[in-house]
Amino acid sequence: MDRSKLQSSRRRFLLITKSGLIIPLTGCLGRNGNGEEPYDRPPDWCVEELSGPVPDAENTSSIDGVPRKDQSNLQSKTEVAYQCMPLENQQCGSCTFFIDDKTGDGIGACTEVEGGIRGTDWCSLWAPKEEMSE
């Protein structure tokens, strides 16, 4: 085999090998192939699991002296357009009203919204924590 054919075969082998490695990795980019985020669930998929009572440790907590509202004054997740994913860079964990998890179950609470609240979710009441201290 002459040298030019050998180099051509080697290049083809490297090109095929490289392509074979790149194609499976495209799924790791966090996109679903058309440039959209990989959310294949409806925005309210977690609402039902968060609808139970809030543990006393979080129910009686306050944020910067603002206590959690009485159960009868809390808004429903539907009223505040609660969704089970963040909106852009806004999420409950960075909100003024979010009460951190105190029981170790990964679910906190809100001073304004009924039921459990995940720190990675969002609702229309979202306000950055800095606003509370002003």
Side-chain angles (χ1 to χ4, degrees), residues 67-85:
R68 187 164 194 254
K69 288 183 176 178
D70 181 74
Q71 183 68 29
S72 62
N73 292 326
L74 293 172
Q75 296 184 59
S76 73
K77 287 182 174 61
T78 303
E79 291 174 311
V80 297
Y82 188 91
Q83 66 180 34
C84 304
M85 64 186 93

Side-chain angles (χ1 to χ4, degrees), residues 28-90:
C28 297
L29 297 176
R31 304 284 180 178
N32 62 9
N34 60 5
E36 295 175 7
E37 294 297 324
Y39 298 118
D40 57 350
R41 298 178 178 175
D44 63 348
W45 69 269
C46 69
V47 170
E48 189 172 315
E49 72 183 51
L50 298 172
S51 64
V54 173
D56 286 340
E58 294 157 9
N59 197 31
T60 58
S61 293
S62 65
I63 303 293
D64 293 336
V66 177
R68 187 164 194 254
K69 288 183 176 178
D70 181 74
Q71 183 68 29
S72 62
N73 292 326
L74 293 172
Q75 296 184 59
S76 73
K77 287 182 174 61
T78 303
E79 291 174 311
V80 297
Y82 188 91
Q83 66 180 34
C84 304
M85 64 186 93
L87 178 67
E88 297 169 2
N89 63 344
Q90 301 173 0

